[in-house]
Amino acid sequence: MRKKNFCLSAILGTGIAGAVLVSEYLFKFAFKRVDYVPEAGADKQKYAESYWKYVEWFKKATKEHWTFSIGDEEERMSAYFIPARSSSPNVAIISHGYKGNGETMANYAKMFYDMGYNILLPDDRGHGESAGKYISFGWLDRLDYLKWITRVIDRIGTKAKIVLFGVSMGAATVEMLSGEDLPSQVECLIADCGYSSIDEELTYLLKEQFHLPKYPFYPLVSTINHSRLGYYLDDISSIEQLKKNHLPIFFIHGEKDDYVPSYMALENYRATKAAKELWIVEGASHAESYWINPNEYKRHIADYLNKYFI
């Protein structure tokens, strides 16, 4: 009997150790910063020529490099500010996606720039030129954006009119930011393919990409995140933040999104009681809504801003 108990304990111990090792791998895979932008998926390669033209525009654009410190002086957050072609109080603060950076949002920046807006393109924690060992999936970033908003108001003046715009993780960042006490200069928000919560998103990806169940891996990854970044993953919820939102918000989502499934857009839409609109883009995969028909996308954005950007 003692031998059987020992064997059972050894098997259980091995299983637990294995789960911990797998969870550590998953945490590093998903949360550790990557100092390069991963190549776009096969479904986006057909847009590469257009994308690089926008990047070239961004590189040549007149811009200011903004920073502020987090922690010690060596840890700095980075953003690029592109002044409007002519003096304007209108500002678009654009939040990039997972493992991207401000530069990867050049097409959206050009869209707003052509509408006469000033543009701010931050690099989020763990991305681009900003500090951070780990990606916070919008949760810590939302607090950084409060500082960027203050910098924008300092630069433009108290008559600044700000729209917060984000795609994918950037959309979730905007959604999470919506639940904070925002200055009156922030007038509306646009969230393109944001997730409803990290719980739902990681559970979905565990199944779809790794063929793993939620338990025990999600709680273990959450515990690792708490030890590294100081909060549990259940804290990261667009839905809970949107419940506190009082600003107009436009949700956009690709119908065929298999990375952040479109039902999450419906969850986010239902969560907010403020003025809201929803556009499910037929045939679009993840973060493809702009690329599948740029003119239609720009028209929807312009129509929304004409309605809510006072």
Side-chain angles (χ1 to χ4, degrees):
M1 181 63 72
R2 190 175 296 171
K3 186 175 182 181
K4 288 182 180 179
N5 287 341
F6 175 80
C7 290
L8 180 60
S9 297
I11 292 169
L12 288 172
T14 301
I16 293 170
V20 170
L21 287 173
V22 170
S23 299
E24 178 67 28
Y25 166 80
L26 291 170
F27 177 80
K28 289 180 178 178
F29 178 85
F31 291 78
K32 190 175 181 181
R33 81 172 291 141
V34 175
D35 289 313
Y36 62 91
V37 176
E39 188 172 316
D43 62 326
K44 306 295 192 306
Q45 291 297 327
K46 57 182 175 287
Y47 307 120
E49 184 176 351
S50 295
Y51 169 78
W52 287 112
K53 286 180 180 178
Y54 286 118
V55 170
E56 282 303 307
W57 168 82
F58 167 78
K59 289 180 176 179
K60 293 177 181 177
T62 300
K63 50 188 174 289
E64 303 166 11
H65 188 204
W66 293 4
T67 63
F68 68 80
S69 295
I70 55 170
D72 63 46
E73 285 298 318
E74 293 183 1
E75 292 188 319
R76 302 184 74 80
M77 303 302 295
S78 172
Y80 284 95
F81 178 81
I82 302 175
R85 190 179 286 113
S86 58
S87 180
S88 172
N90 297 347
V91 185
I93 299 179
I94 299 175
S95 183
H96 66 76
Y98 177 64
K99 294 186 178 179
N101 56 38
E103 181 183 290
T104 63
M105 304 297 281
N107 58 309
Y108 303 104
K110 182 66 161 56
M111 175 182 70
F112 282 104
Y113 182 81
D114 288 344
M115 293 180 184
Y117 284 67
N118 299 279
I119 312 296
L120 186 68
L121 294 161
D123 288 349
D124 291 354
R125 294 191 182 210
H127 294 83
E129 296 179 36
S130 285
K133 294 180 180 179
Y134 302 107
I135 297 167
S136 76
F137 286 88
W139 190 239
L140 297 180
D141 303 306
R142 84 193 196 286
L143 303 178
D144 297 328
Y145 276 74
L146 292 175
K147 296 180 181 179
W148 290 129
I149 290 168
T150 299
R151 287 287 300 273
V152 163
I153 296 169
D154 289 343
R155 172 66 167 75
I156 301 297
T158 56
K159 292 184 179 180
K161 297 163 60 178
I162 300 169
V163 55
L164 302 176
F165 174 93
V167 177
S168 190
M169 186 186 79
T173 302
V174 166
E175 290 160 353
M176 293 174 202
L177 189 53
S178 76
E180 301 302 316
D181 186 14
L182 295 171
S184 61
Q185 287 83 0
V186 179
E187 298 204 348
C188 62
L189 310 98
I190 304 172
D192 184 339
C193 64
Y195 40 78
S196 52
S197 69
I198 282 296
D199 184 333
E200 284 202 67
E201 177 64 11
L202 290 190
T203 299
Y204 173 80
L205 293 177
L206 277 171
K207 179 182 178 182
E208 296 297 317
Q209 292 191 357
F210 296 96
H211 309 292
L212 293 172
K214 178 176 181 177
Y215 300 101
F217 302 105
Y218 174 81
L220 287 170
V221 172
S222 182
T223 300
I224 294 168
N225 190 79
H226 182 264
S227 70
R228 309 280 167 82
L229 293 173
Y231 57 89
Y232 292 103
L233 296 184
D234 286 348
D235 294 335
I236 309 175
S237 173
S238 298
I239 287 175
E240 292 305 313
Q241 290 291 95
L242 285 165
K243 288 177 181 178
K244 298 181 281 184
N245 174 50
H246 66 275
L247 292 171
I249 183 166
F250 184 20
F251 298 100
I252 303 170
H253 216 106
E255 174 200 18
K256 294 185 176 180
D257 194 330
D258 60 0
Y259 189 76
V260 179
S262 58
Y263 72 79
M264 292 191 186
L266 299 176
E267 292 179 332
N268 289 333
Y269 180 83
R270 294 184 188 116
T272 188
K273 305 303 181 209
K276 56 190 176 181
E277 296 189 10
L278 173 65
W279 177 31
I280 301 296
V281 182
E282 184 177 354
S285 62
H286 185 65
E288 192 185 18
S289 295
Y290 172 91
W291 297 105
I292 205 167
N293 191 333
N295 288 332
E296 185 179 17
Y297 193 96
K298 292 172 187 177
R299 180 176 61 78
H300 273 84
I301 297 295
D303 288 348
Y304 170 76
L305 292 172
N306 287 337
K307 194 181 300 183
Y308 294 108
F309 200 73
I310 302 169

